[in-house]
Each structure stands twice: as C-alpha cells, then as structure tokens.
Amino acid sequence: MNDLLTFIDRSPSPFHAVDNLCRELAEAGYTRLSESSSWQLAHGGKYFVTRNGSALLAFRIPRAGFTGFLFSASHSDAPTFRVKENAEMAGPDGYLRLNTEGYGGMLCAPWLDRPLTVAGRVLVQAGDAIETRLVYVDRDLLMIPNVAIHMNRDANNGYKYDRKSDMVPLLGLGKDTGAFRALIAQTAGCTEADILGWDLVLAPREKGLVWGLDNEFVSSPRLDDLQCAYGCFRGFLAAKDSDSIPVFALLDNEEVGSLTKQGADGTFLSDLVDRICAALGKDRATAVANSFLVSADNAHAVHPNHPEYADPTHRPVMNGGIVIKHGTRYATDAAAQAVFTALCRQADVPVQHFFNRSDMAGGSTLGNIANAHVSMNTVDIGLPQLAMHSCFETAGVKDTDYLVKAMTAFYGACLREENGRFTLA
Ligand code: ZN
C-alpha cells in the first residue's frame, strides 16, 4: 500500500506519473524508444515509448514468434484545474488570485479549504532548442477559500458552484507583479523570459493515508486512475513470458473525452501495433484478432450514505475484488467477461459486477474509444471506490493487490480464440 501511495504522491500531474514509470522501466532494463526514429526490435527485447510526455506504452517481445497483444489501458490524468497563461489576477481588495479553468468533471466542494500547489511541465528556451522540464512547486502555495455560512446561508442547501467565481485559488496579497511566473521559472531552473509555454494543474498537497477501524480503507488524491495504473504496471512487470506481446498502456486526457494524440482516441495504440507488426514481419489483422484489452479505470463502490444509487443486484464493495463494468457505454461483453473471469479464478482473485442503476447514465471510459482504433475483445474493469472525482478519494486496501495478481495472470496467459472458443494456456 505504501508503494502505491508513494507513486501517487510523486505523480501530481500526468507528466510526473509517466516520468516515474519511465524511470522504473529504465532501471528494470527496458530500452527507451522514440516515436520519431525507426525501431530495431529484437526477440526477447523490452521497450517503452512515450507520447507528449503524458502517455506511455511499455512492452516485451517474446523470444520466439508472437500471436497477438495483451493490452491493459489506464489513464494518467485526473479532474483538476489548469493554470491559464496570464495567470495572476490582482484584486479585489488587495488579494492576488490565480486564473484557472476546470479540467474534467470534478466534484467542486472537496477542493475548498485545502492546501494546494501547482505541477506539470514547462517548455523552456535552452540555447537553440526547446526543452521540457517537469515542475512541482513543493510547498503549500494556494487555497480556494469557502464562503462563511453567515454570508451564504444556502451553502448547505444544494449550492451550485460557479467555476469562475467560487473555484478561484488565492495566491497571496498584492499586485500582479509576475511573481507566479517567476516562481515557476525558478522551479524550472530558467528565466521568466525562457518560458515558452506550460501545462500546469492544481494539485492537492495532502498525502494518501490508510484509515478505518481495521485499517481497511485507503484515501488519496488521484486514486482514479493511478490505482489501476499502478496495479496494471506491477502485473506487467511481474508476469511470466507468454506467446503474446504484453503491453502496458497509460493514456492521457480520459477525463476530457480522450480525443487527443496522447488519449485513447488518438493513434498511439494503433501506431504501436503497426510498428511492431512491421518490424517483426507479422500480419496485423491476425495479430489483432488474437489480442485482448483490459481497460482498467476505477469503479463505484456502494455508498454507505446513499446505497439507493447502486443497482439493486450489482453492488460492488471495497475489498471485495475487481469490478467488471457492464453497460452500453462499456466495451465488456459476455466473451470478454468470461475470459477475464476465468483468469481471475486461476489467480484466486474475486470479481464483482457493476451495472448502472437503470435510470442513470453513468460515466464512460477507455475501452470503447480504444476499440475504434484497434478492435479486439475488451473488458472494462476497475477497483471499487467512493467519491470518484473528488480530490481525495477512498478505496479498499486489499483491492490493489487483487489487481496486481489478476494482471500478472493476464499478461502471462497464452490466449487463443477460434470461432467463439477460447483457451488461456
Ligand atoms: Zn477514471
């Protein structure tokens, strides 16, 4: 559990999450590839490649030939607020605030009255080149203050938060002097004039923690979806060799619809399949037909105070195992469910099922979107959690290990389908 919380704490932005995993892959002997160079892939080789610095693919080539790909996909981003270009807002009344825009469908209330800072990347002029530098301002820098109950008597009566007025973080007292830009430049190790662009987001400062009568819960920022990313990554590293190519995918921008070059609706997965098949002389259609995708994005546990929001017969509980997600906005079908369930049985991992209550639309995720580019059997899964899209979410302490075990089994499987008949070994 500490390892998960350390990873999340060190990953305040998608760029940091990808950077942390890249470092671990390099230490584990994986070779870094670049999308802008041609690839020499060897049987038995281990590789990774990033796109935009916020999406990552890691894979291994089996020693002999390969039949297809075993993918997992999770996402690196989380709902937050993005810092605008002209960030400082002086006033009213001597206050200095930071101008931000909402990113994704966050719960607003949890962001109030919490120490915050900024994290992300800065593009910097460095001689003739433009360099990317990761930035994390490691101090309590910002707060979005609530309005006192005496001034907003409706605060507890279904108050509607306005992002442009209620959700503006307070930075300090004083005039717009460019101090924020100077702070970012100092953190990035450059001058203010050298900053050519930034992708900076607000990040809560609280660290994740384990709590409850029997320490059964874990709460942290960004459990959706770094908990799944972590579990899939551990499983990817631990799995034995199979006759398929295991691919760990961490994609960006799921919270805003995935329609970016580094999102599930971009070509990152599809380009990888093309390049590997071309490099190893494999027919693409055959390889994809022998492939499987586990789309891993957190799921809703039954809420203790609002059990009525859960479907009457599908009620995932924390520490109850991996949730298979069903419904029209998910890619799961009976075939993918069956394969994944059989793998979990082999790994001695419990599964539970999520359907939306029949009058609720629910959310969407990566599976369907990825399938529009590389179409294969896909199961949508997640770990059960509370308070999804809060900036401090809650899950069960046991479920991450269940995901690691299941993904270790998945990535080590020799999966075949022949006209509706599946074999796993
Ligand atoms: Zn998610």
Side-chain angles (χ1 to χ4, degrees), residues 7 10-22 56 76 226 250:
F7 166 61
R10 289 178 183 165
S11 303
S13 80
F15 305 102
H16 289 83
V18 166
D19 187 57
N20 288 327
L21 297 182
C22 286
L56 164 71
S76 58
L226 294 186
L250 184 64

Coordinates of all heavy atoms in Angstrom, one line a residue, residues 7 10-22 56 76 226 250:
F7 N 3.9 6.3 -5.1 CA 3.7 6.5 -6.6 C 2.7 7.7 -6.8 O 3.0 8.6 -7.6 CB 3.3 5.3 -7.3 CG 2.8 5.5 -8.7 CD1 3.7 6.0 -9.6 CD2 1.5 5.1 -9.1 CE1 3.2 6.2 -11.0 CE2 1.1 5.3 -10.4 CZ 1.9 5.9 -11.3
R10 N 4.1 11.1 -5.8 CA 5.1 11.6 -6.7 C 4.6 11.9 -8.1 O 5.4 12.2 -9.0 CB 6.3 10.6 -6.8 CG 7.1 10.5 -5.5 CD 8.2 9.5 -5.6 NE 8.9 9.3 -4.4 CZ 9.7 8.3 -4.1 NH1 9.9 7.4 -4.9 NH2 10.3 8.3 -2.9
S11 N 3.3 11.7 -8.3 CA 2.7 11.8 -9.6 C 1.6 12.9 -9.5 O 0.4 12.6 -9.8 CB 2.1 10.5 -10.1 OG 3.1 9.5 -10.1
P12 N 1.9 14.1 -9.2 CA 0.9 15.2 -9.1 C 0.3 15.6 -10.5 O -0.7 16.3 -10.5 CB 1.6 16.3 -8.4 CG 3.0 16.2 -8.8 CD 3.3 14.7 -8.9
S13 N 1.0 15.2 -11.6 CA 0.4 15.5 -12.9 C 0.7 14.3 -13.8 O 1.5 13.4 -13.5 CB 1.1 16.7 -13.5 OG 2.4 16.4 -14.0
P14 N 0.0 14.2 -14.9 CA 0.2 13.1 -15.8 C 1.7 13.0 -16.3 O 2.2 11.9 -16.4 CB -0.7 13.4 -17.1 CG -1.8 14.2 -16.5 CD -1.1 15.0 -15.4
F15 N 2.4 14.1 -16.4 CA 3.8 14.1 -16.8 C 4.7 13.4 -15.8 O 5.6 12.7 -16.1 CB 4.2 15.5 -17.1 CG 3.4 16.2 -18.1 CD1 2.4 17.2 -17.7 CD2 3.5 15.9 -19.5 CE1 1.6 17.8 -18.6 CE2 2.7 16.6 -20.4 CZ 1.7 17.5 -20.0
H16 N 4.3 13.7 -14.5 CA 5.1 13.1 -13.4 C 4.8 11.6 -13.3 O 5.7 10.8 -13.1 CB 4.7 13.8 -12.1 CG 5.3 15.2 -12.0 ND1 4.6 16.2 -12.5 CD2 6.4 15.6 -11.4 CE1 5.3 17.3 -12.2 NE2 6.4 17.0 -11.6
A17 N 3.6 11.2 -13.5 CA 3.2 9.8 -13.5 C 4.0 9.0 -14.5 O 4.6 8.0 -14.3 CB 1.7 9.6 -13.7
V18 N 4.0 9.5 -15.8 CA 4.8 8.9 -16.8 C 6.3 8.9 -16.6 O 6.9 7.9 -16.7 CB 4.4 9.6 -18.2 CG1 5.4 9.2 -19.3 CG2 3.0 9.2 -18.6
D19 N 6.8 10.0 -16.1 CA 8.2 10.1 -15.8 C 8.6 9.0 -14.7 O 9.7 8.4 -14.9 CB 8.5 11.5 -15.3 CG 10.0 11.7 -15.2 OD1 10.7 11.5 -16.1 OD2 10.5 12.1 -14.0
N20 N 7.8 8.9 -13.7 CA 8.1 7.9 -12.6 C 8.2 6.5 -13.2 O 9.1 5.7 -12.8 CB 7.1 8.0 -11.5 CG 7.2 9.3 -10.7 OD1 8.3 9.8 -10.5 ND2 6.1 9.8 -10.2
L21 N 7.2 6.2 -14.0 CA 7.2 4.8 -14.6 C 8.3 4.6 -15.6 O 8.9 3.5 -15.6 CB 5.8 4.5 -15.2 CG 4.6 4.5 -14.2 CD1 3.3 4.2 -15.0 CD2 4.8 3.6 -13.1
C22 N 8.6 5.6 -16.3 CA 9.8 5.5 -17.3 C 11.1 5.2 -16.5 O 11.9 4.4 -16.9 CB 10.0 6.8 -18.1 SG 8.7 7.1 -19.3
L56 N 2.2 6.7 -22.0 CA 3.3 5.7 -22.0 C 2.8 4.3 -22.5 O 1.7 3.9 -22.2 CB 3.8 5.6 -20.6 CG 4.7 4.4 -20.3 CD1 6.1 4.5 -20.9 CD2 4.9 4.2 -18.7
S76 N -3.7 8.5 -17.1 CA -2.7 9.3 -16.2 C -3.3 10.6 -15.7 O -2.8 11.2 -14.7 CB -1.5 9.6 -17.1 OG -1.9 10.4 -18.2
L226 N -4.8 6.3 -11.0 CA -3.5 5.9 -10.7 C -3.4 4.6 -10.0 O -2.4 3.8 -10.0 CB -2.6 7.0 -10.0 CG -2.4 8.2 -10.9 CD1 -1.5 9.2 -10.1 CD2 -1.8 7.9 -12.3
L250 N -0.6 3.6 -20.6 CA -1.1 4.7 -19.7 C -1.4 5.8 -20.6 O -0.5 6.4 -21.3 CB 0.0 5.0 -18.7 CG -0.5 6.1 -17.6 CD1 -1.6 5.6 -16.8 CD2 0.7 6.5 -16.7

